[in-house]
Structure formats: structure tokens, C-alpha cells
Amino acid sequence: MQEQKGQRGQLEELRAWLRLTLEPGIGSVTAKNLLMQFGFPQTIFETKFSQLMPVVGEKIAYQLREPCSEEINTQIDKTLEWLNQDNHHILTLADTLYPKALLDTYDPPLLLYVDGNLSAFQKPAIAVVGTRHPTLNGAQNARAFGKYLASQGWCIVSGLAKGIDASAHEGALLANVDCPTIAVMGTGINRLYPAENKAIALGIRHRGALISEFPLDTPANAFRFPMRNRIVAGLSRGVLVVEAARKSGSLITAKMAGDLGKEIFAIPGSIHSPLSRGCHALIRQGAKLVETAQDILEELGYAVTANAPEPDKPSVDPEIPEKFKPVLEAMGFEAISIEELTEYLSLSIEELSLLLTEMQLQSIVVKQVDGKYQRVFHNGEN
């Protein structure tokens, strides 16, 4: 009987936490002020109007003294049904399992919805972020850095967006270790966005963790992504920016991490690439330039148990036909247009087009959406 009473008490406490996050007009700042003044959410809803009003004003004070609305009760019931499924968790600020790294941030979420393994929060974490429209090299770098860092015992934190985020998560999953990655979602935990990352999300929920601070069914809206980014920054001991334009959400994440005193890392790129300019700006501002994932661990003072492969030395050297080698030498490591290639080679555009088509068919180069060509590195490591 005592155990049943304890379970009922825990359930009522959780319902109060959920109600506090669902009440309209009560944002994170107001909710935290209430918690500081009155303690747990249950106490807030039992506090007299006269005590509430000086803290939140007349309108919200009346609202808090009213019985919970039918709409909010329905949402709470749905949330508790979600919670009853395997590997579903809700962590409140008062929970001993709440990530300690977030408690040190200026605005920790009141609660976190977690789909996956809570052990992921016990690992040291590195955030890997960047553009949603990376170059081939950028995506390969994110995947390779994610794989190596996960294999060294780190948890890769990112935002499950397409592009660099997805590649970093994917690389971490390829490391084939426990709890390799955490995806911080900008939607409700039951709303996958973008849909194209479904396979990656399923891998994360089985071997890592999907997390969100937003109520179930919360849709994807632009203003929520900076909120998500502060959690990415807060969970991590450092942030690696792989590719980013000058105006990029990734730079916001890096700034948030920097304001928290965390290390910022950036991979340099071509001075001609718009997606290198954000990284170069960070480096000018003091971010650490990195060429391999090993550089990150050494900078943070962690032991390296296996060297990271050099970025310009593929571990698998495919047998490239001789006729393709001059094209690859002219191409270098960056994307290049066919017109630019003709300036380096004694070939007509027609002859070069035939060669590039053959090279595409043999997966030696790829043609990007902007029409430029880029060589493929088959090692997939950095």
C-alpha cells in the first residue's frame, strides 16, 4: 500500500511538472521564477492567489489557481501513455538523472523527453554542427570525425538536421559502440524532422538517445531551432563546426558554447568556398583549427588510444586508371567546374565531359547540385 501511495505521489508530481510546461503564457523564465519562489510545481498550483500575484501578475495567478484545463489534461494523459513505452523517459530539473552539464547553462530546460538510452548522458560529449547543404568533403569529414570520436569513447551531439548533423550522427553510429550519439530535436519527441533522416533517427533511438524539451506533437518552426542549439552547446565539452556560411545557425551554437567557456573547433577549407567562411571567421576569433579528430582530443587533454587517419591520405588507394589521374590532379580536393578544369588540361569540354561521365560511373567523382565535380575519397576517414 505504501508503495502504491509513493507511485501515485510520483505520478502527481510529474503531472504538475508537465502542466507547468504546458500552461499558456508561462515561459521558461516565469516557470523558473515560480520554482525559485515556491519549490516544486505541485506547491505552485496549491499556493494562494495573493502569494502568486506579486511573482507572475494577476492574470497568470488566476490561471494557476484554476483547475487544470481539459485540453492540458488530455495532453498530459497522452504524454503519460508515451512514457509507458519502452526506453521512453522524462527527466525534470529535480531528477537525479538530469544531465549535469545542462544545469550549468543559463537556461536549462524544465524537463527533457528522452527516447533511448539514458547512459548516453554519462559519456563526455562533443557537438558536431554545420550547414544543411554541405559539400561532399564536408559530409565525409563530419562522418569521419563522428566515427573516430565515438570510437574513442565520446558521444556525438548534434541536431538531427540534414547535412552535417546527419553525417555526424551517421558516422558515430558506424563506430559500433554503445551510446555513440545524442540527437537534440527541435520538435516534439514524437515528430521526426526532417523525414529523410528517419533511418538515422531509428539507429540513434536504439543505440543512443533522441531528446527534446518540447511537448509531444510540437511541429518544426524556425524559432525553435536556436532553442534546440543551446541544448546542443550545453551538453557538450566542445563544439566542432565542419562547414558553415558567414550567417549560420552553427555559428550561433558555437557562440553559445563559447559563452559557456567551452572549446570551439573549426575545420578550415578553401578560401573560394562560401561554406568555409564561417569556419574561417571562427578561427580568426580564436577557435582551434583542426585537421584531424585527434587534434580535438589532444586540445582537450584526453588520452588518444588510436591515431586518426590523415585527411589527405586515404587508407584505401583505389586502382585509378591512368587516363583519370591528370583530371584528379587538376581537380585537387575542392569542387570544381568543367570550365575551370579545361584551363588546367589540354582537353576540350566534350572530351572532358566523357572522362567525367566515366569517372562518375566508377564512383571516382560526383557531380554536385551546382554542376561542379568533386573527387570521392573512398576511405571515409579523417
Side-chain angles (χ1 to χ4, degrees):
M1 180 67 72
Q2 192 67 34
E3 183 178 345
Q4 289 179 346
K5 286 182 179 179
Q7 290 175 344
R8 283 200 298 271
Q10 291 175 2
L11 181 60
E12 289 307 310
E13 182 181 327
L14 179 56
R15 292 187 73 95
W17 275 102
L18 289 168
R19 179 184 173 185
L20 186 61
T21 64
L22 293 169
E23 283 286 352
I26 299 180
S28 176
V29 173
T30 300
K32 289 187 178 75
N33 284 339
L34 286 164
L35 291 169
M36 288 177 63
Q37 290 289 329
F38 305 111
F40 289 97
Q42 280 176 290
T43 307
I44 293 170
F45 295 114
E46 294 167 356
T47 299
K48 294 179 180 179
F49 171 81
S50 59
Q51 294 174 289
L52 289 169
M53 192 174 69
V55 180
V56 293
E58 184 176 341
K59 180 181 177 182
I60 297 297
Y62 273 123
Q63 182 177 317
L64 294 174
R65 291 300 300 140
E66 290 292 317
C68 187
S69 70
E70 183 178 344
E71 182 181 357
I72 290 178
N73 266 324
T74 299
Q75 178 75 356
I76 291 174
D77 290 340
K78 181 175 181 178
T79 302
L80 294 177
E81 287 178 17
W82 174 87
L83 184 59
N84 282 330
Q85 298 176 46
D86 289 342
N87 295 320
H88 286 187
H89 315 273
I90 293 177
L91 302 179
T92 72
L93 276 174
D95 199 308
T96 56
L97 295 176
Y98 189 94
K100 291 182 174 56
L102 287 182
L103 294 175
D104 295 329
T105 63
Y106 69 94
D107 185 23
L110 290 182
L111 54 79
L112 288 173
Y113 298 79
V114 182
D115 185 354
N117 194 334
L118 293 177
S119 298
F121 295 122
Q122 305 306 312
K123 284 190 168 187
I126 286 284
V128 181
V129 297
T131 178
R132 287 177 169 80
H133 305 285
T135 65
L136 177 65
N137 276 354
Q140 289 181 327
N141 285 338
R143 191 176 297 111
F145 272 68
K147 181 180 178 182
Y148 173 81
L149 290 167
S151 73
Q152 293 294 296
W154 289 72
C155 184
I156 303 303
V157 180
S158 200
L160 198 61
K162 66 180 182 178
I164 294 300
D165 287 19
S167 295
H169 289 306
E170 189 177 36
L173 291 171
L174 289 172
N176 199 28
V177 296
D178 292 332
C179 303
T181 184
I182 292 172
V184 186
M185 301 172 65
T187 61
I189 196 77
N190 61 338
R191 282 271 190 110
L192 176 60
Y193 178 85
E196 65 196 69
N197 287 344
K198 181 178 180 180
I200 296 173
L202 288 174
I204 295 171
R205 70 181 296 198
H206 286 305
R207 295 174 48 209
L210 301 168
I211 70 172
S212 174
E213 69 175 314
F214 301 112
L216 297 186
D217 299 319
T218 300
N221 293 111
F223 71 89
R224 291 192 177 94
F225 292 112
M227 298 171 69
R228 173 203 64 186
N229 292 349
R230 87 185 193 286
I231 299 177
V232 172
L235 284 172
S236 308
R237 301 192 184 182
V239 174
L240 169 66
V241 183
V242 178
E243 282 185 331
R246 280 188 183 277
K247 294 182 179 179
S248 166
S250 303
L251 301 190
I252 295 174
T253 305
K255 184 180 185 306
M256 290 175 174
D259 290 343
L260 292 169
K262 305 190 179 189
E263 293 289 350
I264 311 301
F265 305 96
I267 298 177
S270 169
I271 62 172
H272 304 293
S273 171
L275 293 178
S276 297
R277 289 173 188 160
C279 292
H280 293 171
L282 288 173
I283 292 167
R284 286 195 297 273
Q285 293 162 17
K288 305 298 189 300
L289 184 156
V290 294
E291 294 179 332
T292 73
Q294 187 173 326
D295 296 338
I296 294 174
L297 299 187
E298 291 173 350
E299 183 66 35
L300 291 172
Y302 283 81
V304 176
T305 60
N307 291 336
E310 292 295 327
D312 56 350
K313 295 179 181 178
S315 58
V316 178
D317 186 17
E319 291 295 328
I320 302 292
E322 285 296 325
K323 63 180 178 179
F324 297 150
K325 289 182 179 179
V327 180
L328 291 176
E329 289 174 8
M331 187 173 286
F333 297 97
E334 302 293 335
I336 189 170
S337 70
I338 192 169
E339 291 80 12
E340 289 173 306
L341 278 173
T342 58
E343 294 179 12
Y344 295 101
L345 300 165
S346 301
L347 295 170
S348 67
I349 287 183
E350 290 75 17
E351 291 172 315
L352 190 52
S353 294
L354 288 173
L355 278 176
L356 289 169
T357 300
E358 273 192 80
M359 294 169 78
Q360 281 182 268
L361 292 172
Q362 295 184 38
S363 298
I364 297 170
V365 300
V366 294
K367 188 176 183 180
Q368 300 188 152
V369 291
D370 60 1
K372 291 184 176 182
Y373 292 85
Q374 189 165 27
R375 68 193 299 173
V376 175
F377 296 99
H378 296 275
N379 62 314
E381 303 287 351
N382 252 326

